Amino acid sequence: MRTLVLKGKEAIKKGAELIALGEVVAFPTETVYGLGADAFNEEAVKKIFAAKGRPSDNPLIVHIADISGLEKLTEEVSEGAKAVMSAFMPGPITVIMKRSKKVPLSVTAGLETVGIRMPSHPVAREFIKACGTPIAAPSANRSTHISPTSAEHVFEDMDGRVPLIIDGGDCEVGIESTIIDMSTGVPTILRPGAITAEMLAKILGAVKTFSGKVVVAKAPGMKYKHYAPSCETVVATDVDSAAQAYDDAAEKGLVPVIIARSSTAAKLGGRTHIDVGDTDADVCRNIYAALHRAEKIAGFIICEHFGEKGVCGSVMNRVMKSAGGKTV
Ligand code: TXA
Ligand code: MG
């Protein structure tokens, strides 16, 4: 299969045509790129799992362009879910609700709930609107690889596997949406993201944060290896340990690289590094591009620990998975 990469109106038109034909189309969102299909077309949904190499017991998020899309997906919207939606949608959040019987079990991986997301990216919204149907979409990477934040990243993983990539430039947020489960008594964050626990607690009073330990796999994806670069990755707790790990790796004949904030990068001497910027939003926006670049130029990745405050806690959730929890 030839993979087209298109921009603008032509891309939206072609994308909507392909979706109507039951095909899979990659599209930009403000978080990461998604791999979309008509959520009500089971054959099309199967193609998403095939293109990603994703296990079928890992459910997909369903994307809508506006609030009218909601009634096709759920019949029960709690007061809490309404509050979260009016505060943060459109935006980088996914709300888990009871599914309507119309939502195929192949989308929800057999669960009685469905993850609903309304992206804020203008291209995503135009695309979903043009499709006229909710779009089921996971991140547009091969299963277990780093999520894509540019059309080039998608092309690297999906060339020959999907007919079209809609190019909407670089993703503004840079990590996947926050997932909040509103289907049970206590609202629970299943995946941290740019909408933080503090922001949600302001709206809901209290939220349970995901502890990292999966007792019952509520976000089934959590049990899979995720966000993994193709070479060994470690997290360095400070500049000195980053420099030490770098020098040790170089001595062993590996090609190391350090991913760091600008202020840390300035203290690394001549060591090869990738600068992810200064602010927390910069770090979030640039982290996946940095990991993509690092695995290309190096054989050993050292990533600075960016701290746990605000969105950095969500960034470190992904980086720790990339590193398999390894800290130096
Ligand atoms: O930002 C995002 O959320 C991106 C863009 C494309 O929208 N999508 C994304 O999808 O990250 P994916 O498939 O890579 O991650 C979705 C996660 C998985 O861990 C999955 O297990 C969980 O959401 N999930 C989906 N539906 C669920 C449900 N009904 N209950 C619990 N977890 C669910
Ligand atoms: Mg993913």
Side-chain angles (χ1 to χ4, degrees):
M1 178 189 305
R2 224 185 118 219
T3 301
L4 282 175
V5 183
L6 296 174
K7 281 186 191 165
K9 291 258 172 289
E10 187 197 1
I12 303 278
K13 184 165 173 280
K14 180 85 184 153
E17 280 166 18
L18 284 165
I19 293 293
L21 290 170
E23 289 299 331
V24 170
V25 172
F27 65 100
T29 83
E30 71 279 18
T31 57
V32 300
Y33 274 69
L35 201 60
D38 179 352
F40 295 112
N41 181 336
E42 298 215 47
E43 287 306 310
V45 168
K46 270 193 207 152
K47 291 182 189 169
I48 296 179
F49 287 94
K52 267 185 80 87
R54 180 177 178 121
S56 61
D57 65 347
N58 194 356
L60 305 177
I61 292 172
V62 182
H63 298 68
I64 55 178
D66 51 55
I67 208 72
S68 70
L70 197 63
E71 60 197 41
K72 297 183 187 151
L73 303 175
T74 183
E75 279 136 30
E76 276 180 57
V77 186
S78 66
E79 287 308 312
K82 275 186 201 155
V84 170
M85 288 194 297
S86 75
F88 302 115
M89 276 189 188
I93 192 154
T94 297
V95 182
I96 307 285
M97 290 184 239
K98 279 228 175 78
R99 87 178 163 105
S100 138
K101 295 283 175 248
K102 284 177 246 157
V103 179
L105 288 169
S106 53
V107 169
T108 68
L111 298 176
E112 286 307 325
T113 53
V114 58
I116 302 173
R117 169 154 142 71
M118 190 195 298
S120 62
H121 195 297
V123 176
R125 295 168 66 84
E126 246 188 273
F127 169 61
I128 301 162
K129 214 181 261 174
C131 293
T133 180
I135 297 293
S139 50
N141 51 286
R142 296 281 288 273
S143 196
T144 80
H145 198 215
I146 309 158
S147 293
T149 55
S150 71
E152 292 75 32
H153 294 159
V154 180
F155 191 79
E156 280 160 21
D157 268 22
M158 290 294 158
D159 183 21
R161 304 176 77 86
V162 299
L164 174 67
I165 299 166
I166 300 177
D167 185 352
D170 294 343
C171 301
E172 261 306 302
V173 174
I175 61 169
E176 302 84 349
S177 61
T178 303
I179 302 180
I180 181 149
D181 188 350
M182 298 299 299
S183 73
T184 56
V186 193
T188 305
I189 295 174
L190 302 181
R191 180 174 70 184
I195 310 284
T196 61
E198 292 73 30
M199 291 158 80
L200 284 160
K202 265 195 200 148
I203 304 292
L204 292 167
V207 289
K208 243 196 334 209
T209 58
F210 182 72
S211 65
K213 205 169 160 212
V214 185
V215 181
V216 184
K218 283 285 283 190
M222 295 303 180
K223 70 177 190 249
Y224 295 109
K225 192 177 166 207
H226 259 105
Y227 319 111
S230 55
C231 63
E232 191 181 349
T233 304
V234 298
V235 173
T237 46
D238 55 35
V239 190
D240 292 338
S241 55
Q244 187 65 53
Y246 183 102
D247 296 345
D248 291 349
E251 204 162 292
K252 279 190 220 147
L254 295 168
V255 180
V257 64
I258 301 174
I259 297 174
R261 268 187 214 269
S262 309
S263 50
T264 308
K267 298 179 201 149
L268 290 171
R271 298 177 182 90
T272 308
H273 61 266
I274 299 171
D275 185 335
V276 285
D278 259 323
T279 66
D280 292 351
D282 289 342
V283 171
C284 188
R285 182 168 57 250
N286 295 323
I287 188 64
Y288 281 157
L291 287 167
H292 276 280
R293 169 128 189 84
E295 68 173 10
K296 276 205 202 96
I297 64 169
F300 186 74
I301 303 171
I302 302 147
C303 185
E304 172 180 13
H305 198 304
F306 299 112
E308 293 291 350
K309 271 222 255 85
V311 76
C312 284
S314 307
V315 171
M316 289 315 298
N317 167 270
R318 311 305 197 274
V319 172
M320 278 300 181
K321 284 183 184 175
S322 291
K326 246 173 290 147
T327 307
V328 295

